[in-house]
């Protein structure tokens, strides 16, 4: 699924999809419904992230080795499906979605904790 979504050369309104422009790179904003934010989960994710290595590569606003948390939040709908999808990617590591280098795997991280972290990241939208 991630591979289908990645396209830097894509045109602005291709397939009627909204495309955001960040640092001269474009990415598809994945369409989907937002769910009400579970503030307990989000707080847990925030704490977990502060004890993990995430900020080595990610910052909220400015580009680091990985995409900014704000860009990630803009890109994905805020719901359980994406908490799980992206949570799995945090655990297993990966590349190819943003045109950045590889995110290392976090094999010791429980999927449930990774999902809380993603819930925090996606909650950053429009803040
Ligand atoms: C070694 C650097 C590095 C570290 C450490 C790191 N990331 Fe990443 N992260 C990346 C890169 C690079 C990407 C973009 C991967 C791609 O293009 O598919 C990324 C992508 C992501 C994405 C978006 C995935 C997607 O498919 O769009 C999320 C969510 C994420 N990281 C969360 C985290 C969390 C949470 C942590 C801490 C547990 C973390 N990252 C630690 C480098 C890192």
């Amino acid at each position: 699924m991630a591979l289908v979504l990645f396209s830097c050369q894509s045109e602005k309104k291709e397939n009627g999809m909204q495309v955001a422009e960040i640092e001269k790179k474009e990415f598809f904003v994945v369409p989907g419904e937002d769910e009400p934010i579970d503030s307990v989960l989000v707080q847990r994710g925030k704490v977990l992230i502060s004890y993990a290595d995430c900020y080595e590569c990610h910052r909220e606003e400015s580009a680091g080795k990985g995409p900014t948390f704000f860009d990630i939040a803009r890109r994905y709908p805020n719901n359980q499906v994406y908490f799980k999808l992206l949570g799995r990617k945090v655990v297993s590591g990966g590349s190819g979605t943003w045109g950045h280098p590889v995110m290392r795997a976090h094999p010791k991280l429980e999927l449930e904790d990774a999902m809380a972290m993603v819930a925090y990241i996606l909650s950053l939208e429009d803040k």
Side-chain angles (χ1 to χ4, degrees):
M1 168 142 198
L3 285 175
V4 179
L5 301 171
F6 172 63
S7 176
C8 273
Q9 287 83 33
S10 54
E11 289 181 10
K12 280 236 153 141
K13 278 271 174 178
E14 202 173 292
N15 302 329
M17 275 175 145
Q18 197 190 346
V19 175
E21 198 173 339
I22 304 293
E23 291 172 359
K24 301 189 188 98
K25 274 213 172 92
E26 293 180 343
F27 59 83
F28 281 122
V29 174
V30 180
E33 293 294 316
D34 286 345
E35 283 168 6
I37 293 172
D38 175 349
S39 57
V40 176
L41 185 68
V42 166
Q43 276 312 311
R44 212 176 124 240
K46 185 177 182 177
V47 172
L48 286 167
I49 282 182
S50 69
Y51 285 106
D53 64 356
C54 319
Y55 284 115
E56 263 179 52
C57 300
H58 295 282
R59 267 167 255 146
E60 290 182 353
E61 254 170 304
S62 60
K65 289 184 207 157
T68 72
F69 282 167
F70 283 112
D71 286 349
I72 296 172
R74 279 187 206 107
R75 183 171 195 175
Y76 297 103
N78 198 334
N79 68 40
Q80 283 292 329
V81 173
Y82 286 93
F83 298 168
K84 195 157 195 177
L85 200 87
L86 299 175
R88 280 208 189 109
K89 181 151 174 182
V90 173
V91 174
S92 61
S95 67
T97 310
W98 291 85
H100 285 265
V102 176
M103 170 158 64
R104 74 171 70 109
H106 296 85
K108 289 189 187 142
L109 199 61
E110 298 289 336
L111 177 59
E112 201 195 322
D113 290 346
M115 285 171 69
M117 290 169 161
V118 172
Y120 166 67
I121 296 168
L122 297 189
S123 80
L124 293 170
E125 195 168 17
D126 299 328
K127 281 198 187 136

